[in-house]
Amino acid sequence: MAVYDLGGKNKYYTLYARIRDDILSGRYVCGEKLPSKRVFASELGVSVVTVQLAYEQLLAEGYISSRERSGYFVEKIDLRPVGGAAPASFGAPDGPKEQYVLDFVKGSAPAELFPFSVWAKLMRGVLLDCGEHLLERVPCAGDAALREEISKYLYRSRGIRVGADRIVIGAGAEYLYGVIVQLLGRDRLYAVENPGYGKIFSAYALNGASVVPVKVTEHGVSLEELKKSGADVLHISPAHQFPTGVVTPATSRSAIIGWAEERGGFVVEDDYDSEFRLSGKPINSLYGLCPERVIYVNTFSKSLAPSMRLGYMVLPGELMKRYLSLFSAGANVVPLFEQKTLAAMLGGGYFERHIARLKNYYRQIRALTVEILKKLNTDCEIYDAGGGPHLLCKFPQAPSDEAVKEEFASRGVRVKCLSDYLLAAAEGMEKTAVINYSGVTAEQIDAVRNRL
Amino acid sequence: MAVYDLGGKNKYYTLYARIRDDILSGRYVCGEKLPSKRVFASELGVSVVTVQLAYEQLLAEGYISSRERSGYFVEKIDLRPVGGAAPASFGAPDGPKEQYVLDFVKGSAPAELFPFSVWAKLMRGVLLDCGEHLLERVPCAGDAALREEISKYLYRSRGIRVGADRIVIGAGAEYLYGVIVQLLGRDRLYAVENPGYGKIFSAYALNGASVVPVKVTEHGVSLEELKKSGADVLHISPAHQFPTGVVTPATSRSAIIGWAEERGGFVVEDDYDSEFRLSGKPINSLYGLCPERVIYVNTFSKSLAPSMRLGYMVLPGELMKRYLSLFSAGANVVPLFEQKTLAAMLGGGYFERHIARLKNYYRQIRALTVEILKKLNTDCEIYDAGGGPHLLCKFPQAPSDEAVKEEFASRGVRVKCLSDYLLAAAEGMEKTAVINYSGVTAEQIDAVRNRL
């Protein structure tokens, strides 16, 4: 067992970095079992939680994998030789996707549905209208016209009343999480949803924050675990959690706000796919409940184009003041050109028409997806709260999660299970496939049907 | 019609601000038609473009609206009070700049010199050529074509031989400093130059790193202080330091590399204004001396347009591996559109022609600047190592730094002193004005000469 000296604060991060480096340098080899959390913790003289967080970080970044009831194992790391090496794999989707007919894991909105001709027309218009004005420095919080359009859009789409002067434009949601850490500080503990996006966990951890996963129940994030964790900041998606699909009910919402007020903490409301609510009434924002304790974050990367990293956040007054005092000497990182074009897209109603079109499309794909799931296995139970383009499919009779994935794979279908998104062990997540249908086409579903 | 006195440079901004204030104060009322651009321009004795830019700014910020073929009208302004703070100053240049005829503190390349028509043409070409390809996710390190062009440009301009696979594109230099902290970790101590840019110090500190200022001597950063500080990472501009203008001599360069190798540390070579070397032979890069210990950083924000946050860094092989392992699941933050346009600009030779034009311009401005400085005070000593658009001007007989600034101010000239850029106390920095002439015009210098 490697012996590490973990001085200073942020022990888990130091431990994570040491193990990661040892994996990269080959000191740990592929397939090797890591020491159990308990043994390692006592060896290093740290708490089990420290080791657990380090393992979770390594897990989230794919350095290790976890096998149920047997522990953690070093993964095969693809060390691309740099300096003379072909960069051919840059940006290639990970994994051998080709072998699948249908991929329910990765996916973004189909490019054909993006109104490219409108976008190009707006871009040409911006070039003509703004001219050399496009060269000017953009104020730190973003272009005034875009912030104004987002303010109006938030009212139209989410019923959120907030002035443009509380809105900050950034280069995508993950960029904004980094800004949030800079605003709130690294001495706070950040809680993220478990299961959840490993990317969110990593974004906070990479920015030097301590992160703790908190279990998501059918009522949203567990308040009991949250309180026990000692967290000061809670990052959640109350309108539609990924991957569980849970919509946080009203009573839990009030309780979460109560927690934030009592604790002097903040809630980061990640509203990333609220545009895509396909059925049922719209879910209110947490922000509306308590604008002084909630940071509202959303992005256009998912709804427009993955190449356009453009997100925004709404800050409580106190934090907006801090933001301006920290950053007003600098310029905004998103090019003015994209900001002006998006402002024109929002102002002209093109964005909402695009979303309406996407929603219609997703409703069709959802119906086909449900149909094929039932054909594949009549015993499956489908859970769909009507939110964004993913749903859950449980196989109570399946022997294990691996068996679920293997059965799908044998039909040419790629899925992950809820347990694949676990950042820490949690019960009640077994035998449930996460079906993200945002990137599949009717033709692909047909191809699978024809094989049955 | 309101009559405004639009002294100083940035006439359009002054005009915009005056009209905005008149709208906010009610002097212009909602629905009122503004004078036509042509009439207003002749009334004020400015160009039509000045009025147009002011109107566009007002339009962008929602103070006025335009109706086709009828003109510009004052909008209803909703004055949202936010937490007591006035948001009116968002993005406004700081300080009472108006009172100065000549500003040697702030400044960026004059917008007139930017080849906007070429840029716009390239943008339209990219839109046509790439089409919907522009919507695709950009690999974390950036667009392959742009990285390839930067690789070639680095060889042409700096003699740096490095493959595109070592180059990482980011949203400006400060964004990249944050990535560097994520790569190297927060348990290292970062040294920055003293005096130096407060922004660099802040960027590291905001990213959670511990930062220590190390004194710059005439031989570059003090190796003695550096070693004493215990730093692991050194951020320097060896080709031309701001504000001292010091060019790090060869012996110091070797010593710095020796320090990095011995310590297992890294040097961040900030080459931000190496393009603007106006006289003397080019300065070699540190990167060339030791590609495994030097991170080379440069930006296009200064040489192209402040609204375009686009920088890049060259990483040692070991760090590139770490970069890919940490970030390859995410997308690059700079829109593909800007990356493709810049690639076309570099590939077509337009960028280097633009730099050549700027250098010619700066040589003229430098000559006029030196002339006026000598006229203002015959006892001044001018230090200019031939680098980027700034120089030092020492007044040995002046009683104090304040006296130096006051004397300049009395002639309508804004300067800062070396001591204003000190991050920690250091000797030998007295009575020396820092003359940044990147943003001044020949007309402004004339205006000061005419007052003498």
mmCIF file of all heavy atoms in Angstrom, chain A residues 63 82 85 90 129 133-134 136 145 165-166 186 206-207 307 309 324 332 337-338, chain B residues 12 56-57 60 82 90 134 136 147 165-166 186 206-207 307 309 325 332 337-338:
data_model
loop_
_atom_site.group_PDB
_atom_site.id
_atom_site.type_symbol
_atom_site.label_atom_id
_atom_site.label_comp_id
_atom_site.label_asym_id
_atom_site.label_seq_id
_atom_site.Cartn_x
_atom_site.Cartn_y
_atom_site.Cartn_z
ATOM 1 N N TYR A 63 -10.698 7.018 -13.237
ATOM 2 C CA TYR A 63 -9.417 6.364 -12.960
ATOM 3 C C TYR A 63 -9.618 4.989 -12.355
ATOM 4 O O TYR A 63 -8.775 4.110 -12.490
ATOM 5 C CB TYR A 63 -8.566 7.214 -12.003
ATOM 6 C CG TYR A 63 -8.035 8.445 -12.651
ATOM 7 C CD1 TYR A 63 -8.602 9.684 -12.395
ATOM 8 C CD2 TYR A 63 -6.975 8.361 -13.553
ATOM 9 C CE1 TYR A 63 -8.130 10.817 -13.021
ATOM 10 C CE2 TYR A 63 -6.500 9.496 -14.176
ATOM 11 C CZ TYR A 63 -7.075 10.715 -13.908
ATOM 12 O OH TYR A 63 -6.613 11.828 -14.531
ATOM 13 N N VAL A 82 2.087 12.306 -25.923
ATOM 14 C CA VAL A 82 2.036 13.694 -26.376
ATOM 15 C C VAL A 82 3.379 14.066 -26.965
ATOM 16 O O VAL A 82 4.401 13.591 -26.499
ATOM 17 C CB VAL A 82 1.706 14.600 -25.181
ATOM 18 C CG1 VAL A 82 1.777 16.050 -25.597
ATOM 19 C CG2 VAL A 82 0.336 14.258 -24.659
ATOM 20 N N ALA A 85 2.488 12.737 -31.111
ATOM 21 C CA ALA A 85 1.337 11.834 -31.178
ATOM 22 C C ALA A 85 0.226 12.427 -32.017
ATOM 23 O O ALA A 85 0.105 13.627 -32.147
ATOM 24 C CB ALA A 85 0.804 11.580 -29.782
ATOM 25 N N PHE A 90 -8.902 13.394 -30.066
ATOM 26 C CA PHE A 90 -9.485 14.547 -29.383
ATOM 27 C C PHE A 90 -10.954 14.652 -29.712
ATOM 28 O O PHE A 90 -11.352 14.682 -30.871
ATOM 29 C CB PHE A 90 -8.818 15.842 -29.843
ATOM 30 C CG PHE A 90 -7.480 16.040 -29.228
ATOM 31 C CD1 PHE A 90 -6.683 17.085 -29.641
ATOM 32 C CD2 PHE A 90 -7.013 15.188 -28.252
ATOM 33 C CE1 PHE A 90 -5.442 17.272 -29.088
ATOM 34 C CE2 PHE A 90 -5.772 15.376 -27.698
ATOM 35 C CZ PHE A 90 -4.981 16.413 -28.116
ATOM 36 N N ASP A 129 -24.995 45.241 -38.226
ATOM 37 C CA ASP A 129 -25.536 46.256 -37.318
ATOM 38 C C ASP A 129 -24.488 46.775 -36.348
ATOM 39 O O ASP A 129 -24.414 47.961 -36.072
ATOM 40 C CB ASP A 129 -26.684 45.673 -36.471
ATOM 41 C CG ASP A 129 -27.909 45.401 -37.315
ATOM 42 O OD1 ASP A 129 -27.909 45.806 -38.487
ATOM 43 O OD2 ASP A 129 -28.848 44.782 -36.790
ATOM 44 N N HIS A 133 -18.216 47.997 -33.308
ATOM 45 C CA HIS A 133 -18.681 47.942 -31.927
ATOM 46 C C HIS A 133 -18.413 46.546 -31.335
ATOM 47 O O HIS A 133 -18.228 46.392 -30.133
ATOM 48 C CB HIS A 133 -20.176 48.244 -31.936
ATOM 49 C CG HIS A 133 -20.835 48.195 -30.598
ATOM 50 N ND1 HIS A 133 -20.493 49.053 -29.585
ATOM 51 C CD2 HIS A 133 -21.798 47.387 -30.102
ATOM 52 C CE1 HIS A 133 -21.239 48.778 -28.521
ATOM 53 N NE2 HIS A 133 -22.030 47.762 -28.804
ATOM 54 N N LEU A 134 -18.363 45.534 -32.205
ATOM 55 C CA LEU A 134 -18.112 44.160 -31.757
ATOM 56 C C LEU A 134 -16.725 43.977 -31.163
ATOM 57 O O LEU A 134 -16.449 42.973 -30.524
ATOM 58 C CB LEU A 134 -18.277 43.177 -32.925
ATOM 59 C CG LEU A 134 -19.706 42.908 -33.377
ATOM 60 C CD1 LEU A 134 -19.705 42.039 -34.612
ATOM 61 C CD2 LEU A 134 -20.495 42.235 -32.256
ATOM 62 N N GLU A 136 -15.371 45.969 -28.987
ATOM 63 C CA GLU A 136 -15.232 46.556 -27.657
ATOM 64 C C GLU A 136 -15.243 45.515 -26.548
ATOM 65 O O GLU A 136 -15.828 44.456 -26.672
ATOM 66 C CB GLU A 136 -16.371 47.557 -27.425
ATOM 67 C CG GLU A 136 -16.140 48.836 -28.194
ATOM 68 C CD GLU A 136 -17.399 49.656 -28.281
ATOM 69 O OE1 GLU A 136 -18.308 49.447 -27.457
ATOM 70 O OE2 GLU A 136 -17.468 50.505 -29.197
ATOM 71 N N ALA A 145 -27.499 43.992 -23.588
ATOM 72 C CA ALA A 145 -28.673 43.598 -24.377
ATOM 73 C C ALA A 145 -29.044 42.140 -24.125
ATOM 74 O O ALA A 145 -30.218 41.801 -23.976
ATOM 75 C CB ALA A 145 -28.398 43.829 -25.862
ATOM 76 N N ASP A 165 -29.713 43.357 -14.143
ATOM 77 C CA ASP A 165 -28.521 43.700 -13.359
ATOM 78 C C ASP A 165 -28.146 42.618 -12.339
ATOM 79 O O ASP A 165 -27.152 42.737 -11.646
ATOM 80 C CB ASP A 165 -28.702 45.048 -12.663
ATOM 81 C CG ASP A 165 -30.055 45.150 -11.998
ATOM 82 O OD1 ASP A 165 -30.758 44.100 -11.902
ATOM 83 O OD2 ASP A 165 -30.425 46.247 -11.568
ATOM 84 N N ARG A 166 -28.940 41.560 -12.263
ATOM 85 C CA ARG A 166 -28.596 40.440 -11.388
ATOM 86 C C ARG A 166 -28.087 39.237 -12.187
ATOM 87 O O ARG A 166 -27.828 38.182 -11.635
ATOM 88 C CB ARG A 166 -29.845 39.971 -10.634
ATOM 89 C CG ARG A 166 -30.326 40.918 -9.579
ATOM 90 C CD ARG A 166 -29.563 40.688 -8.277
ATOM 91 N NE ARG A 166 -30.236 41.380 -7.207
ATOM 92 C CZ ARG A 166 -31.105 40.814 -6.372
ATOM 93 N NH1 ARG A 166 -31.360 39.521 -6.462
ATOM 94 N NH2 ARG A 166 -31.687 41.511 -5.442
ATOM 95 N N ARG A 186 -13.659 28.711 -0.721
ATOM 96 C CA ARG A 186 -13.280 27.303 -0.651
ATOM 97 C C ARG A 186 -13.340 26.747 0.772
ATOM 98 O O ARG A 186 -13.064 25.579 0.997
ATOM 99 C CB ARG A 186 -11.865 27.114 -1.212
ATOM 100 C CG ARG A 186 -11.839 27.273 -2.692
ATOM 101 C CD ARG A 186 -10.486 27.192 -3.293
ATOM 102 N NE ARG A 186 -10.620 27.525 -4.704
ATOM 103 C CZ ARG A 186 -10.667 28.768 -5.176
ATOM 104 N NH1 ARG A 186 -10.530 29.782 -4.341
ATOM 105 N NH2 ARG A 186 -10.833 28.989 -6.450
ATOM 106 N N LEU A 206 -12.342 20.385 -8.792
ATOM 107 C CA LEU A 206 -11.230 20.974 -9.548
ATOM 108 C C LEU A 206 -11.027 22.437 -9.176
ATOM 109 O O LEU A 206 -9.934 22.973 -9.307
ATOM 110 C CB LEU A 206 -11.501 20.880 -11.051
ATOM 111 C CG LEU A 206 -11.099 19.570 -11.698
ATOM 112 C CD1 LEU A 206 -11.620 19.506 -13.122
ATOM 113 C CD2 LEU A 206 -9.575 19.435 -11.703
ATOM 114 N N ASN A 207 -12.088 23.084 -8.736
ATOM 115 C CA ASN A 207 -11.961 24.472 -8.321
ATOM 116 C C ASN A 207 -11.546 24.600 -6.865
ATOM 117 O O ASN A 207 -11.586 25.686 -6.293
ATOM 118 C CB ASN A 207 -13.255 25.234 -8.608
ATOM 119 C CG ASN A 207 -13.331 25.651 -10.064
ATOM 120 O OD1 ASN A 207 -12.583 26.529 -10.489
ATOM 121 N ND2 ASN A 207 -14.170 24.994 -10.846
ATOM 122 N N SER A 307 -21.345 23.466 -29.264
ATOM 123 C CA SER A 307 -20.122 24.232 -29.535
ATOM 124 C C SER A 307 -20.211 25.609 -28.897
ATOM 125 O O SER A 307 -19.226 26.305 -28.788
ATOM 126 C CB SER A 307 -19.905 24.404 -31.031
ATOM 127 O OG SER A 307 -20.696 25.461 -31.526
ATOM 128 N N ARG A 309 -20.562 27.497 -25.762
ATOM 129 C CA ARG A 309 -20.581 27.460 -24.309
ATOM 130 C C ARG A 309 -21.157 28.783 -23.845
ATOM 131 O O ARG A 309 -20.456 29.777 -23.778
ATOM 132 C CB ARG A 309 -19.173 27.274 -23.735
ATOM 133 C CG ARG A 309 -18.398 26.130 -24.314
ATOM 134 C CD ARG A 309 -19.126 24.841 -24.285
ATOM 135 N NE ARG A 309 -19.167 24.227 -22.961
ATOM 136 C CZ ARG A 309 -19.756 23.077 -22.709
ATOM 137 N NH1 ARG A 309 -20.383 22.432 -23.665
ATOM 138 N NH2 ARG A 309 -19.744 22.576 -21.493
ATOM 139 N N LEU A 324 -19.232 41.965 -8.628
ATOM 140 C CA LEU A 324 -18.742 43.179 -9.291
ATOM 141 C C LEU A 324 -17.446 43.655 -8.655
ATOM 142 O O LEU A 324 -16.534 44.111 -9.332
ATOM 143 C CB LEU A 324 -19.806 44.271 -9.245
ATOM 144 C CG LEU A 324 -21.026 43.977 -10.114
ATOM 145 C CD1 LEU A 324 -22.114 45.018 -9.885
ATOM 146 C CD2 LEU A 324 -20.637 43.940 -11.585
ATOM 147 N N ASN A 332 -15.808 40.125 -19.764
ATOM 148 C CA ASN A 332 -16.548 38.869 -19.868
ATOM 149 C C ASN A 332 -15.843 37.925 -20.840
ATOM 150 O O ASN A 332 -15.241 38.363 -21.808
ATOM 151 C CB ASN A 332 -17.967 39.165 -20.351
ATOM 152 C CG ASN A 332 -18.882 37.972 -20.211
ATOM 153 O OD1 ASN A 332 -18.968 37.137 -21.112
ATOM 154 N ND2 ASN A 332 -19.535 37.842 -19.082
ATOM 155 N N PHE A 337 -19.860 38.756 -30.051
ATOM 156 C CA PHE A 337 -20.576 38.322 -31.237
ATOM 157 C C PHE A 337 -21.657 37.292 -30.893
ATOM 158 O O PHE A 337 -22.817 37.419 -31.292
ATOM 159 C CB PHE A 337 -19.569 37.731 -32.221
ATOM 160 C CG PHE A 337 -20.119 37.512 -33.576
ATOM 161 C CD1 PHE A 337 -20.554 38.582 -34.340
ATOM 162 C CD2 PHE A 337 -20.219 36.240 -34.094
ATOM 163 C CE1 PHE A 337 -21.077 38.388 -35.599
ATOM 164 C CE2 PHE A 337 -20.739 36.035 -35.357
ATOM 165 C CZ PHE A 337 -21.171 37.101 -36.108
ATOM 166 N N GLU A 338 -21.280 36.261 -30.133
ATOM 167 C CA GLU A 338 -22.247 35.236 -29.721
ATOM 168 C C GLU A 338 -23.323 35.843 -28.814
ATOM 169 O O GLU A 338 -24.490 35.454 -28.877
ATOM 170 C CB GLU A 338 -21.541 34.110 -28.961
ATOM 171 C CG GLU A 338 -21.104 32.948 -29.823
ATOM 172 C CD GLU A 338 -19.934 33.290 -30.708
ATOM 173 O OE1 GLU A 338 -19.278 34.326 -30.483
ATOM 174 O OE2 GLU A 338 -19.657 32.519 -31.653
ATOM 175 N N TYR B 12 -17.704 58.986 -28.641
ATOM 176 C CA TYR B 12 -18.996 58.312 -28.735
ATOM 177 C C TYR B 12 -19.461 57.861 -27.359
ATOM 178 O O TYR B 12 -20.637 57.942 -27.030
ATOM 179 C CB TYR B 12 -18.924 57.125 -29.712
ATOM 180 C CG TYR B 12 -18.779 55.788 -29.054
ATOM 181 C CD1 TYR B 12 -19.902 55.102 -28.595
ATOM 182 C CD2 TYR B 12 -17.524 55.225 -28.839
ATOM 183 C CE1 TYR B 12 -19.770 53.879 -27.964
ATOM 184 C CE2 TYR B 12 -17.393 54.021 -28.209
ATOM 185 C CZ TYR B 12 -18.511 53.350 -27.776
ATOM 186 O OH TYR B 12 -18.372 52.158 -27.141
ATOM 187 N N GLU B 56 -26.110 53.193 -31.002
ATOM 188 C CA GLU B 56 -26.105 51.725 -30.946
ATOM 189 C C GLU B 56 -25.931 51.232 -29.520
ATOM 190 O O GLU B 56 -26.536 50.250 -29.102
ATOM 191 C CB GLU B 56 -24.974 51.162 -31.818
ATOM 192 C CG GLU B 56 -25.394 51.033 -33.267
ATOM 193 C CD GLU B 56 -24.207 50.874 -34.194
ATOM 194 O OE1 GLU B 56 -23.073 50.690 -33.698
ATOM 195 O OE2 GLU B 56 -24.419 50.937 -35.413
ATOM 196 N N GLN B 57 -25.099 51.941 -28.782
ATOM 197 C CA GLN B 57 -24.868 51.558 -27.396
ATOM 198 C C GLN B 57 -26.166 51.749 -26.599
ATOM 199 O O GLN B 57 -26.555 50.883 -25.816
ATOM 200 C CB GLN B 57 -23.725 52.405 -26.824
ATOM 201 C CG GLN B 57 -23.318 52.064 -25.407
ATOM 202 C CD GLN B 57 -22.632 50.709 -25.323
ATOM 203 O OE1 GLN B 57 -22.175 50.169 -26.318
ATOM 204 N NE2 GLN B 57 -22.579 50.153 -24.137
ATOM 205 N N ALA B 60 -28.497 49.034 -27.591
ATOM 206 C CA ALA B 60 -28.114 47.740 -27.036
ATOM 207 C C ALA B 60 -28.512 47.645 -25.580
ATOM 208 O O ALA B 60 -28.858 46.572 -25.087
ATOM 209 C CB ALA B 60 -26.615 47.541 -27.186
ATOM 210 N N VAL B 82 -31.704 47.543 -7.066
ATOM 211 C CA VAL B 82 -31.199 46.235 -6.627
ATOM 212 C C VAL B 82 -30.423 46.394 -5.343
ATOM 213 O O VAL B 82 -29.424 47.096 -5.325
ATOM 214 C CB VAL B 82 -30.277 45.597 -7.668
ATOM 215 C CG1 VAL B 82 -29.616 44.348 -7.100
ATOM 216 C CG2 VAL B 82 -31.074 45.223 -8.887
ATOM 217 N N PHE B 90 -22.272 49.695 -14.647
ATOM 218 C CA PHE B 90 -21.817 48.454 -15.285
ATOM 219 C C PHE B 90 -21.069 48.755 -16.560
ATOM 220 O O PHE B 90 -21.594 49.354 -17.484
ATOM 221 C CB PHE B 90 -23.003 47.566 -15.660
ATOM 222 C CG PHE B 90 -23.581 46.847 -14.493
ATOM 223 C CD1 PHE B 90 -24.729 46.095 -14.634
ATOM 224 C CD2 PHE B 90 -22.978 46.928 -13.254
ATOM 225 C CE1 PHE B 90 -25.274 45.421 -13.565
ATOM 226 C CE2 PHE B 90 -23.513 46.255 -12.169
ATOM 227 C CZ PHE B 90 -24.663 45.518 -12.329
ATOM 228 N N LEU B 134 -20.472 24.032 -37.411
ATOM 229 C CA LEU B 134 -20.193 24.986 -36.336
ATOM 230 C C LEU B 134 -20.924 24.642 -35.053
ATOM 231 O O LEU B 134 -20.618 25.176 -33.984
ATOM 232 C CB LEU B 134 -20.587 26.403 -36.771
ATOM 233 C CG LEU B 134 -19.664 27.067 -37.788
ATOM 234 C CD1 LEU B 134 -20.241 28.402 -38.218
ATOM 235 C CD2 LEU B 134 -18.277 27.267 -37.170
ATOM 236 N N GLU B 136 -21.059 21.675 -33.733
ATOM 237 C CA GLU B 136 -20.481 20.514 -33.052
ATOM 238 C C GLU B 136 -19.692 20.908 -31.814
ATOM 239 O O GLU B 136 -19.134 21.995 -31.731
ATOM 240 C CB GLU B 136 -19.568 19.755 -34.019
ATOM 241 C CG GLU B 136 -20.360 18.944 -35.023
ATOM 242 C CD GLU B 136 -19.502 18.526 -36.202
ATOM 243 O OE1 GLU B 136 -18.275 18.491 -36.060
ATOM 244 O OE2 GLU B 136 -20.080 18.265 -37.268
ATOM 245 N N ARG B 147 -5.412 25.123 -33.573
ATOM 246 C CA ARG B 147 -4.200 24.683 -32.867
ATOM 247 C C ARG B 147 -3.061 24.482 -33.861
ATOM 248 O O ARG B 147 -1.910 24.821 -33.588
ATOM 249 C CB ARG B 147 -4.495 23.413 -32.068
ATOM 250 C CG ARG B 147 -5.491 23.686 -30.928
ATOM 251 C CD ARG B 147 -6.098 22.399 -30.405
ATOM 252 N NE ARG B 147 -5.176 21.679 -29.558
ATOM 253 C CZ ARG B 147 -5.192 20.352 -29.402
ATOM 254 N NH1 ARG B 147 -6.067 19.619 -30.058
ATOM 255 N NH2 ARG B 147 -4.340 19.773 -28.596
ATOM 256 N N ASP B 165 -0.597 19.292 -30.807
ATOM 257 C CA ASP B 165 -1.157 18.466 -29.730
ATOM 258 C C ASP B 165 -0.687 18.887 -28.337
ATOM 259 O O ASP B 165 -1.098 18.301 -27.341
ATOM 260 C CB ASP B 165 -0.848 16.984 -29.971
ATOM 261 C CG ASP B 165 0.603 16.774 -30.329
ATOM 262 O OD1 ASP B 165 1.382 17.760 -30.240
ATOM 263 O OD2 ASP B 165 0.970 15.656 -30.707
ATOM 264 N N ARG B 166 0.171 19.900 -28.280
ATOM 265 C CA ARG B 166 0.575 20.436 -26.986
ATOM 266 C C ARG B 166 -0.107 21.771 -26.701
ATOM 267 O O ARG B 166 0.173 22.400 -25.682
ATOM 268 C CB ARG B 166 2.090 20.690 -26.983
ATOM 269 C CG ARG B 166 2.947 19.464 -26.974
ATOM 270 C CD ARG B 166 3.098 18.934 -25.559
ATOM 271 N NE ARG B 166 4.133 17.932 -25.536
ATOM 272 C CZ ARG B 166 5.414 18.205 -25.207
ATOM 273 N NH1 ARG B 166 5.764 19.394 -24.828
ATOM 274 N NH2 ARG B 166 6.301 17.242 -25.227
ATOM 275 N N ARG B 186 -3.320 23.259 -5.828
ATOM 276 C CA ARG B 186 -3.351 24.398 -4.915
ATOM 277 C C ARG B 186 -2.396 24.227 -3.737
ATOM 278 O O ARG B 186 -2.310 25.087 -2.882
ATOM 279 C CB ARG B 186 -4.776 24.608 -4.397
ATOM 280 C CG ARG B 186 -5.671 25.138 -5.452
ATOM 281 C CD ARG B 186 -7.094 25.295 -5.031
ATOM 282 N NE ARG B 186 -7.861 25.676 -6.205
ATOM 283 C CZ ARG B 186 -8.312 24.803 -7.113
ATOM 284 N NH1 ARG B 186 -8.112 23.518 -6.954
ATOM 285 N NH2 ARG B 186 -8.962 25.239 -8.167
ATOM 286 N N LEU B 206 -7.705 34.103 -6.664
ATOM 287 C CA LEU B 206 -9.126 33.757 -6.800
ATOM 288 C C LEU B 206 -9.300 32.274 -7.093
ATOM 289 O O LEU B 206 -10.324 31.691 -6.790
ATOM 290 C CB LEU B 206 -9.765 34.564 -7.926
ATOM 291 C CG LEU B 206 -10.299 35.929 -7.538
ATOM 292 C CD1 LEU B 206 -10.714 36.713 -8.777
ATOM 293 C CD2 LEU B 206 -11.499 35.789 -6.602
ATOM 294 N N ASN B 207 -8.286 31.678 -7.704
ATOM 295 C CA ASN B 207 -8.366 30.255 -7.989
ATOM 296 C C ASN B 207 -7.876 29.402 -6.827
ATOM 297 O O ASN B 207 -7.691 28.197 -6.973
ATOM 298 C CB ASN B 207 -7.628 29.939 -9.286
ATOM 299 C CG ASN B 207 -8.495 30.259 -10.491
ATOM 300 O OD1 ASN B 207 -9.472 29.564 -10.745
ATOM 301 N ND2 ASN B 207 -8.182 31.333 -11.200
ATOM 302 N N SER B 307 -12.860 42.385 -26.981
ATOM 303 C CA SER B 307 -14.115 41.645 -26.796
ATOM 304 C C SER B 307 -13.898 40.163 -27.063
ATOM 305 O O SER B 307 -14.738 39.345 -26.736
ATOM 306 C CB SER B 307 -15.196 42.162 -27.745
ATOM 307 O OG SER B 307 -15.033 41.588 -29.025
ATOM 308 N N ARG B 309 -12.092 37.088 -26.076
ATOM 309 C CA ARG B 309 -11.236 36.444 -25.090
ATOM 310 C C ARG B 309 -10.729 35.177 -25.723
ATOM 311 O O ARG B 309 -11.410 34.177 -25.748
ATOM 312 C CB ARG B 309 -12.003 36.123 -23.816
ATOM 313 C CG ARG B 309 -12.767 37.269 -23.213
ATOM 314 C CD ARG B 309 -11.962 38.475 -23.021
ATOM 315 N NE ARG B 309 -11.069 38.400 -21.863
ATOM 316 C CZ ARG B 309 -10.287 39.379 -21.472
ATOM 317 N NH1 ARG B 309 -10.227 40.500 -22.158
ATOM 318 N NH2 ARG B 309 -9.526 39.246 -20.422
ATOM 319 N N SER B 325 -6.565 14.055 -19.142
ATOM 320 C CA SER B 325 -7.255 13.146 -18.231
ATOM 321 C C SER B 325 -8.270 13.902 -17.386
ATOM 322 O O SER B 325 -9.307 13.372 -17.030
ATOM 323 C CB SER B 325 -6.253 12.380 -17.360
ATOM 324 O OG SER B 325 -5.777 13.202 -16.328
ATOM 325 N N ASN B 332 -14.448 22.551 -25.062
ATOM 326 C CA ASN B 332 -13.709 23.804 -24.989
ATOM 327 C C ASN B 332 -14.683 24.966 -24.793
ATOM 328 O O ASN B 332 -15.798 24.935 -25.304
ATOM 329 C CB ASN B 332 -12.909 24.004 -26.280
ATOM 330 C CG ASN B 332 -11.918 25.137 -26.165
ATOM 331 O OD1 ASN B 332 -12.238 26.278 -26.446
ATOM 332 N ND2 ASN B 332 -10.715 24.830 -25.728
ATOM 333 N N PHE B 337 -16.927 29.161 -33.710
ATOM 334 C CA PHE B 337 -16.979 30.209 -34.722
ATOM 335 C C PHE B 337 -15.754 31.123 -34.635
ATOM 336 O O PHE B 337 -15.074 31.382 -35.632
ATOM 337 C CB PHE B 337 -18.263 31.005 -34.523
ATOM 338 C CG PHE B 337 -18.580 31.920 -35.645
ATOM 339 C CD1 PHE B 337 -18.869 31.422 -36.892
ATOM 340 C CD2 PHE B 337 -18.577 33.293 -35.460
ATOM 341 C CE1 PHE B 337 -19.153 32.268 -37.951
ATOM 342 C CE2 PHE B 337 -18.866 34.148 -36.501
ATOM 343 C CZ PHE B 337 -19.154 33.639 -37.751
ATOM 344 N N GLU B 338 -15.451 31.598 -33.441
ATOM 345 C CA GLU B 338 -14.273 32.460 -33.246
ATOM 346 C C GLU B 338 -12.987 31.693 -33.529
ATOM 347 O O GLU B 338 -12.031 32.244 -34.062
ATOM 348 C CB GLU B 338 -14.228 32.979 -31.799
ATOM 349 C CG GLU B 338 -14.901 34.326 -31.588
ATOM 350 C CD GLU B 338 -16.399 34.244 -31.657
ATOM 351 O OE1 GLU B 338 -16.950 33.118 -31.627
ATOM 352 O OE2 GLU B 338 -17.037 35.304 -31.776
#
